[in-house]
Amino acid sequence: MQTLNQISLAETLKARRERLSQLIDLPVILWSGRSSARNFPANTYPFRASSHFLYFAGSPLENAAIRLEQGKLTLFMDDASPASALWHGESPARTAIAHQIGADAAYPLAQLQTKVEDCATVLVQDPGTHEWQTQVLNRAIAIAPEAKGIDLALIHAIATLRMSHDVAAIAELRQAVAVSIAAHQAGMAATCTAKTEADVKAAIEQVILANNMTTAYTSIITVHGEVLHNHHYHHELQARDLLLVDAGAETASGWAADITRTWAVSGRFSPTQRAIYEVVLLAHDLCIATMKPGIEYEAIHLTAARVIAEGLVDLGILRGNPTDLVEMDAHALFFPHGIGHLLGLDVHDMEDFGDLAGYAEGRTRSDRFGLGYLRLNRPLQAGMLVTIEPGFYQVPAILNDRDRREKYGDVVNWERLAEFSDVRGIRIEDDVLITATGTEVLTVALPTNIEAIEQLISGN
Amino acid sequence: MQTLNQISLAETLKARRERLSQLIDLPVILWSGRSSARNFPANTYPFRASSHFLYFAGSPLENAAIRLEQGKLTLFMDDASPASALWHGESPARTAIAHQIGADAAYPLAQLQTKVEDCATVLVQDPGTHEWQTQVLNRAIAIAPEAKGIDLALIHAIATLRMSHDVAAIAELRQAVAVSIAAHQAGMAATCTAKTEADVKAAIEQVILANNMTTAYTSIITVHGEVLHNHHYHHELQARDLLLVDAGAETASGWAADITRTWAVSGRFSPTQRAIYEVVLLAHDLCIATMKPGIEYEAIHLTAARVIAEGLVDLGILRGNPTDLVEMDAHALFFPHGIGHLLGLDVHDMEDFGDLAGYAEGRTRSDRFGLGYLRLNRPLQAGMLVTIEPGFYQVPAILNDRDRREKYGDVVNWERLAEFSDVRGIRIEDDVLITATGTEVLTVALPTNIEAIEQLISGN
Ligand SMILES: [Mn+2]
Ligand SMILES: [Mn+2]
């Protein structure tokens, strides 16, 4: 058996383009993108190449393009100017990079213009590159979910390929996961001395930086887990708070991890925190236990919804039959988001395609409050990496909404719920690889059970 | 005397607009900008508002605009949607923000269109906002250095204001400096156990993150200081290396620090490292000693050039008369950049104006190799904050350049230079506030002398 070390980057990329050429018989040009300016042009954000480019070029080259046709790879980029060497040091030449990534030919960017006929492409996020794409191809390039014709055909082909990770991708994903696990452990260990959310963030991101990686997305590190996309870190930690941490690293070539843990600031969950946490953890465990190729991801989501509804009935927070409660979306009062999403080069993998990757052909988002936020709706298949991230939140905008309070007035025991006021937000998120026969939880080394988490916090 | 705590944000902003209205009699609209997408639209870079907007609005509001006219402030922004509250929590309402920043009126963005007549503006970096500006004002908005007419008049007025920092600005700058100093100290203390540049970067940026600040620019943390804009962190630290660290924090409202220190990985400078460091430090100290209002910044640069030339003559690396050597730009073989730049809301303050802020009217960049990279060329004035950052580098692209080796063949003692091979790059950078009578070095608490730095590394 060939081990990973024996598979060169060039071989991996060759296999990817050959699979692409089996799916579509079109020449393709993919652009890497440009860095964007912060304050003034010379002060740029760290460059992050387009994920589609990274998948086929393997390297975060700035201001570059590749052409793929019948398994052949052509690289287009300019060599650095002599003045650039003064400020940025010697850069590898185009020919050296071409060799490393196994390109069949390499040209300056000016040549790109001459090889564009009938080429499909994918829109790159930064507007400067979008304009460049439009000029070079001399036609409009639509935002991916609105793409038509050859661009749409390309999107479906890329989605098919990137949906199922190859050995090299999985090796990168494992690296991102390993560093993310160490980062969460550092965050847990730092909690006892941390004064603010920012202190824990610093401990977590220090690990990511020390491994020469970046965060794959803006970390969520908050005692207000009920604010789902919370990017503030100024709150002081109080002993009765739960801290929700959703943070993941990204390798140099762009592969992401996405992990959430929720822990007690004091190092000891209160009885109410423990009770809800166990409900969320049971949903998490049962979801993963049922996953294997062929299972519908929506069914996994509904499993989580049912387990959460059952747990809340058992705790006296919801009233009624769990199946009925899920059908009326009562679970979504407390679990308003989807059970997870694809993970790969993007933290929501291929979300620039809208739902063209996440949803099987012919499927569209549900109108139901309890299903509409699901980002993935297709059968699981081997090689897919998905997150499983059930949660419980007391979101004021949901629970104080007059229409919802009326609709769900009878099924929620509001007085009982008030006893759980120290549980604002809990989420447990793991990264689950679908194997031929079941799953491998890549993030399994980071415990989810309360006892082990309490030990990591206290350092015992 | 009024202390800073008694000066409210609203009063500071009012004083800034009143000074603006004394300089130009024009209505002005400034846009804050938008965050840019990373991989896919929902994954954005942390938002950084336009510095000109921050100066007059005081708060990093996303997707907002302000109108300034005769000292009056009008805020344009939309309240968050109810759906946004679900994901992002409750946001302060437009009216609450308007009150906080002392706005005279506040409207939804749709109203902006009706108040644009004869308004000057400054182009915002992100292309989406540029397009929005163009639509709203219904005219082309040029990149700042190419601005004409009322936009150019506005640039000169803003440059005049932002050139001289008020009490509130200086208080913010001091906060950025204090955190940056603590960050450098953490980097020094971490060096003895660090394996790679990334380990030191992590220790430095942990301090910045824990203080809920961001880096003002991409940190340079490198054992290859001769690569001036080095944004790689993968090198292992070797005992004989010098580590060059150029890193600064930025406060939540955008005010930046910019500090460089260079230290020995082993904790002990070698004799050759010490010798060159002392030359750079002498240049640094003499520059600062001569600074006061009225002194030309170019003269400070030439002071540094002369001291470095003298030092290198004394060390036997250069041959000849230091004054002649500077006139022939021989200093620039080893000190190829300018002595510093303006510092404020941008790390190169107002560099989006090209040289319209940095260069006095009528002055342009020199063709000389030893002067052309100077970013600031005007007389110093009270309230200005500038960096002083002399350096010594052995840049292969300069020293191996055939033309330069010919031109400077006689004045460089190449054999002697080879003895200094363990000195690839040294820079010492402080942030110097010009006072009425001289200077205050805001960064003075971070030592520059070798003995104190060696102590910080060894922890004694
Ligand atoms: Mn996730
Ligand atoms: Mn600087």
Side-chain angles (χ1 to χ4, degrees), chain B residues 144-181:
Chain B
E146 290 156 23
K148 304 256 184 306
I150 56 174
D151 291 349
L152 182 60
L154 175 61
I155 284 171
H156 283 300
I158 290 178
T160 300
L161 283 183
R162 286 183 53 189
M163 193 89 67
S164 192
H165 295 301
D166 56 27
V167 174
I170 293 168
E172 287 271 339
L173 290 161
R174 285 186 200 278
Q175 285 181 35
V177 162
V179 169
S180 304
I181 288 174

Short mmCIF file of all heavy atoms in Angstrom, two decimals, chain B residues 144-181:
data_model
loop_
_atom_site.label_atom_id
_atom_site.label_comp_id
_atom_site.label_asym_id
_atom_site.label_seq_id
_atom_site.Cartn_x
_atom_site.Cartn_y
_atom_site.Cartn_z
N ALA B 144 -7.33 58.14 -4.02
CA ALA B 144 -7.02 59.40 -3.35
C ALA B 144 -5.87 60.21 -3.97
O ALA B 144 -6.03 61.41 -4.22
CB ALA B 144 -6.78 59.15 -1.87
N PRO B 145 -4.71 59.60 -4.25
CA PRO B 145 -3.62 60.45 -4.76
C PRO B 145 -3.96 61.11 -6.09
O PRO B 145 -3.31 62.08 -6.48
CB PRO B 145 -2.44 59.49 -4.90
CG PRO B 145 -2.97 58.13 -4.71
CD PRO B 145 -4.30 58.24 -4.01
N GLU B 146 -4.97 60.60 -6.80
CA GLU B 146 -5.35 61.19 -8.08
C GLU B 146 -6.61 62.04 -7.98
O GLU B 146 -7.17 62.44 -9.00
CB GLU B 146 -5.56 60.07 -9.12
CG GLU B 146 -4.25 59.41 -9.50
CD GLU B 146 -4.44 58.00 -10.03
OE1 GLU B 146 -5.55 57.67 -10.50
OE2 GLU B 146 -3.47 57.22 -9.95
N ALA B 147 -7.04 62.32 -6.76
CA ALA B 147 -8.27 63.09 -6.58
C ALA B 147 -8.10 64.52 -7.09
O ALA B 147 -6.99 65.05 -7.12
CB ALA B 147 -8.66 63.10 -5.10
N LYS B 148 -9.22 65.11 -7.49
CA LYS B 148 -9.22 66.48 -8.02
C LYS B 148 -10.34 67.26 -7.33
O LYS B 148 -11.22 66.69 -6.70
CB LYS B 148 -9.50 66.47 -9.52
CG LYS B 148 -8.56 65.62 -10.37
CD LYS B 148 -7.57 66.50 -11.12
CE LYS B 148 -6.67 65.69 -12.05
NZ LYS B 148 -5.97 64.57 -11.37
N GLY B 149 -10.30 68.58 -7.49
CA GLY B 149 -11.42 69.43 -7.09
C GLY B 149 -11.77 69.32 -5.61
O GLY B 149 -10.88 69.36 -4.75
N ILE B 150 -13.07 69.16 -5.34
CA ILE B 150 -13.49 69.17 -3.93
C ILE B 150 -12.93 67.97 -3.16
O ILE B 150 -12.64 68.08 -1.97
CB ILE B 150 -15.04 69.21 -3.79
CG1 ILE B 150 -15.72 68.05 -4.55
CG2 ILE B 150 -15.60 70.55 -4.28
CD1 ILE B 150 -17.23 67.99 -4.32
N ASP B 151 -12.76 66.84 -3.82
CA ASP B 151 -12.19 65.67 -3.12
C ASP B 151 -10.74 65.94 -2.72
O ASP B 151 -10.31 65.54 -1.63
CB ASP B 151 -12.28 64.42 -3.99
CG ASP B 151 -13.71 63.93 -4.18
OD1 ASP B 151 -14.61 64.43 -3.47
OD2 ASP B 151 -13.94 63.07 -5.05
N LEU B 152 -10.01 66.62 -3.59
CA LEU B 152 -8.63 66.95 -3.27
C LEU B 152 -8.58 67.97 -2.12
O LEU B 152 -7.75 67.84 -1.20
CB LEU B 152 -7.91 67.51 -4.51
CG LEU B 152 -6.43 67.86 -4.33
CD1 LEU B 152 -5.62 66.64 -3.92
CD2 LEU B 152 -5.87 68.48 -5.61
N ALA B 153 -9.49 68.92 -2.16
CA ALA B 153 -9.54 69.90 -1.06
C ALA B 153 -9.83 69.19 0.27
O ALA B 153 -9.23 69.51 1.30
CB ALA B 153 -10.63 70.94 -1.35
N LEU B 154 -10.72 68.21 0.23
CA LEU B 154 -11.03 67.44 1.44
C LEU B 154 -9.81 66.68 1.94
O LEU B 154 -9.53 66.63 3.14
CB LEU B 154 -12.19 66.48 1.15
CG LEU B 154 -12.56 65.52 2.29
CD1 LEU B 154 -13.00 66.29 3.54
CD2 LEU B 154 -13.65 64.55 1.85
N ILE B 155 -9.08 66.07 1.01
CA ILE B 155 -7.88 65.32 1.39
C ILE B 155 -6.89 66.22 2.12
O ILE B 155 -6.37 65.85 3.18
CB ILE B 155 -7.24 64.68 0.14
CG1 ILE B 155 -8.06 63.46 -0.28
CG2 ILE B 155 -5.78 64.30 0.41
CD1 ILE B 155 -7.65 62.87 -1.62
N HIS B 156 -6.67 67.42 1.57
CA HIS B 156 -5.72 68.32 2.23
C HIS B 156 -6.22 68.72 3.62
O HIS B 156 -5.45 68.79 4.57
CB HIS B 156 -5.46 69.56 1.36
CG HIS B 156 -4.54 69.28 0.22
ND1 HIS B 156 -3.25 68.83 0.40
CD2 HIS B 156 -4.71 69.37 -1.13
CE1 HIS B 156 -2.66 68.66 -0.78
NE2 HIS B 156 -3.53 68.98 -1.73
N ALA B 157 -7.51 68.91 3.75
CA ALA B 157 -8.06 69.31 5.06
C ALA B 157 -7.93 68.16 6.06
O ALA B 157 -7.50 68.36 7.21
CB ALA B 157 -9.53 69.72 4.90
N ILE B 158 -8.30 66.96 5.63
CA ILE B 158 -8.20 65.80 6.55
C ILE B 158 -6.74 65.56 6.92
O ILE B 158 -6.41 65.28 8.09
CB ILE B 158 -8.82 64.54 5.91
CG1 ILE B 158 -10.35 64.69 5.82
CG2 ILE B 158 -8.46 63.30 6.72
CD1 ILE B 158 -11.06 63.50 5.15
N ALA B 159 -5.84 65.67 5.94
CA ALA B 159 -4.42 65.45 6.22
C ALA B 159 -3.93 66.46 7.27
O ALA B 159 -3.21 66.10 8.20
CB ALA B 159 -3.61 65.56 4.93
N THR B 160 -4.35 67.69 7.14
CA THR B 160 -3.95 68.71 8.11
C THR B 160 -4.44 68.34 9.51
O THR B 160 -3.68 68.42 10.49
CB THR B 160 -4.54 70.08 7.70
OG1 THR B 160 -4.03 70.40 6.40
CG2 THR B 160 -4.16 71.16 8.70
N LEU B 161 -5.69 67.90 9.59
CA LEU B 161 -6.24 67.54 10.90
C LEU B 161 -5.57 66.31 11.50
O LEU B 161 -5.13 66.32 12.65
CB LEU B 161 -7.73 67.22 10.78
CG LEU B 161 -8.70 68.39 10.66
CD1 LEU B 161 -10.12 67.85 10.61
CD2 LEU B 161 -8.51 69.31 11.86
N ARG B 162 -5.51 65.26 10.72
CA ARG B 162 -5.01 63.98 11.25
C ARG B 162 -3.50 64.01 11.48
O ARG B 162 -2.97 63.13 12.18
CB ARG B 162 -5.40 62.82 10.31
CG ARG B 162 -6.88 62.45 10.37
CD ARG B 162 -7.24 61.27 9.50
NE ARG B 162 -6.39 60.11 9.77
CZ ARG B 162 -6.37 59.00 9.03
NH1 ARG B 162 -7.18 58.90 7.97
NH2 ARG B 162 -5.56 58.00 9.33
N MET B 163 -2.82 64.99 10.89
CA MET B 163 -1.37 65.11 11.06
C MET B 163 -1.01 65.42 12.51
O MET B 163 0.07 65.09 12.98
CB MET B 163 -0.89 66.27 10.18
CG MET B 163 0.57 66.38 9.98
SD MET B 163 1.04 65.40 8.56
CE MET B 163 0.24 66.31 7.23
N SER B 164 -1.90 66.12 13.21
CA SER B 164 -1.61 66.60 14.56
C SER B 164 -2.65 66.00 15.49
O SER B 164 -3.82 66.34 15.42
CB SER B 164 -1.71 68.14 14.52
OG SER B 164 -1.17 68.67 15.68
N HIS B 165 -2.20 65.07 16.36
CA HIS B 165 -3.15 64.28 17.13
C HIS B 165 -3.71 65.06 18.32
O HIS B 165 -2.97 65.75 19.03
CB HIS B 165 -2.48 63.00 17.63
CG HIS B 165 -2.09 62.08 16.51
ND1 HIS B 165 -2.99 61.57 15.62
CD2 HIS B 165 -0.88 61.60 16.12
CE1 HIS B 165 -2.37 60.79 14.74
NE2 HIS B 165 -1.07 60.80 15.02
N ASP B 166 -5.01 64.93 18.55
CA ASP B 166 -5.63 65.56 19.72
C ASP B 166 -5.49 64.65 20.95
O ASP B 166 -4.94 63.55 20.88
CB ASP B 166 -7.09 65.94 19.43
CG ASP B 166 -7.94 64.76 18.98
OD1 ASP B 166 -7.62 63.61 19.36
OD2 ASP B 166 -8.93 64.98 18.25
N VAL B 167 -5.98 65.15 22.09
CA VAL B 167 -5.80 64.44 23.36
C VAL B 167 -6.41 63.04 23.32
O VAL B 167 -5.81 62.06 23.79
CB VAL B 167 -6.44 65.26 24.50
CG1 VAL B 167 -6.39 64.49 25.82
CG2 VAL B 167 -5.70 66.58 24.66
N ALA B 168 -7.59 62.94 22.72
CA ALA B 168 -8.26 61.63 22.67
C ALA B 168 -7.46 60.66 21.81
O ALA B 168 -7.33 59.47 22.15
CB ALA B 168 -9.67 61.80 22.12
N ALA B 169 -6.94 61.14 20.71
CA ALA B 169 -6.14 60.27 19.83
C ALA B 169 -4.89 59.80 20.55
O ALA B 169 -4.53 58.61 20.50
CB ALA B 169 -5.76 61.03 18.56
N ILE B 170 -4.24 60.70 21.24
CA ILE B 170 -3.00 60.33 21.92
C ILE B 170 -3.29 59.31 23.03
O ILE B 170 -2.51 58.36 23.23
CB ILE B 170 -2.27 61.59 22.46
CG1 ILE B 170 -1.78 62.41 21.26
CG2 ILE B 170 -1.11 61.22 23.37
CD1 ILE B 170 -1.30 63.81 21.60
N ALA B 171 -4.42 59.45 23.69
CA ALA B 171 -4.79 58.46 24.72
C ALA B 171 -4.96 57.08 24.09
O ALA B 171 -4.52 56.07 24.65
CB ALA B 171 -6.08 58.90 25.41
N GLU B 172 -5.59 57.02 22.94
CA GLU B 172 -5.76 55.73 22.24
C GLU B 172 -4.40 55.18 21.80
O GLU B 172 -4.13 53.98 21.93
CB GLU B 172 -6.66 55.91 21.01
CG GLU B 172 -8.12 56.13 21.33
CD GLU B 172 -8.89 54.80 21.42
OE1 GLU B 172 -8.42 53.80 20.87
OE2 GLU B 172 -9.96 54.81 22.05
N LEU B 173 -3.58 56.05 21.25
CA LEU B 173 -2.26 55.62 20.79
C LEU B 173 -1.43 55.06 21.95
O LEU B 173 -0.71 54.07 21.80
CB LEU B 173 -1.54 56.78 20.10
CG LEU B 173 -2.16 57.19 18.74
CD1 LEU B 173 -1.73 58.60 18.34
CD2 LEU B 173 -1.78 56.18 17.65
N ARG B 174 -1.56 55.69 23.11
CA ARG B 174 -0.83 55.18 24.29
C ARG B 174 -1.31 53.78 24.66
O ARG B 174 -0.52 52.94 25.10
CB ARG B 174 -1.04 56.11 25.49
CG ARG B 174 -0.24 57.40 25.41
CD ARG B 174 -0.41 58.19 26.74
NE ARG B 174 -0.09 59.58 26.55
CZ ARG B 174 1.15 60.09 26.56
NH1 ARG B 174 2.19 59.29 26.75
NH2 ARG B 174 1.36 61.38 26.38
N GLN B 175 -2.61 53.54 24.51
CA GLN B 175 -3.12 52.19 24.81
C GLN B 175 -2.54 51.16 23.84
O GLN B 175 -2.14 50.06 24.24
CB GLN B 175 -4.64 52.16 24.71
CG GLN B 175 -5.35 52.82 25.87
CD GLN B 175 -6.86 52.73 25.70
OE1 GLN B 175 -7.38 51.76 25.19
NE2 GLN B 175 -7.55 53.76 26.14
N ALA B 176 -2.52 51.52 22.57
CA ALA B 176 -1.96 50.59 21.57
C ALA B 176 -0.49 50.32 21.86
O ALA B 176 -0.01 49.19 21.75
CB ALA B 176 -2.14 51.17 20.16
N VAL B 177 0.23 51.38 22.25
CA VAL B 177 1.65 51.24 22.57
C VAL B 177 1.85 50.34 23.79
O VAL B 177 2.71 49.45 23.80
CB VAL B 177 2.28 52.63 22.79
CG1 VAL B 177 3.60 52.52 23.54
CG2 VAL B 177 2.46 53.36 21.46
N ALA B 178 1.04 50.55 24.83
CA ALA B 178 1.22 49.78 26.07
C ALA B 178 1.06 48.28 25.79
O ALA B 178 1.85 47.45 26.27
CB ALA B 178 0.22 50.24 27.12
N VAL B 179 0.05 47.93 25.01
CA VAL B 179 -0.18 46.52 24.71
C VAL B 179 0.93 45.99 23.81
O VAL B 179 1.39 44.85 23.98
CB VAL B 179 -1.59 46.34 24.09
CG1 VAL B 179 -1.75 44.94 23.52
CG2 VAL B 179 -2.66 46.64 25.14
N SER B 180 1.39 46.80 22.89
CA SER B 180 2.46 46.36 21.98
C SER B 180 3.76 46.12 22.75
O SER B 180 4.52 45.20 22.42
CB SER B 180 2.68 47.41 20.89
OG SER B 180 1.48 47.65 20.19
N ILE B 181 4.02 46.95 23.73
CA ILE B 181 5.22 46.76 24.55
C ILE B 181 5.12 45.43 25.32
O ILE B 181 6.05 44.62 25.33
CB ILE B 181 5.42 47.95 25.52
CG1 ILE B 181 5.88 49.18 24.73
CG2 ILE B 181 6.42 47.60 26.62
CD1 ILE B 181 5.96 50.46 25.55
#
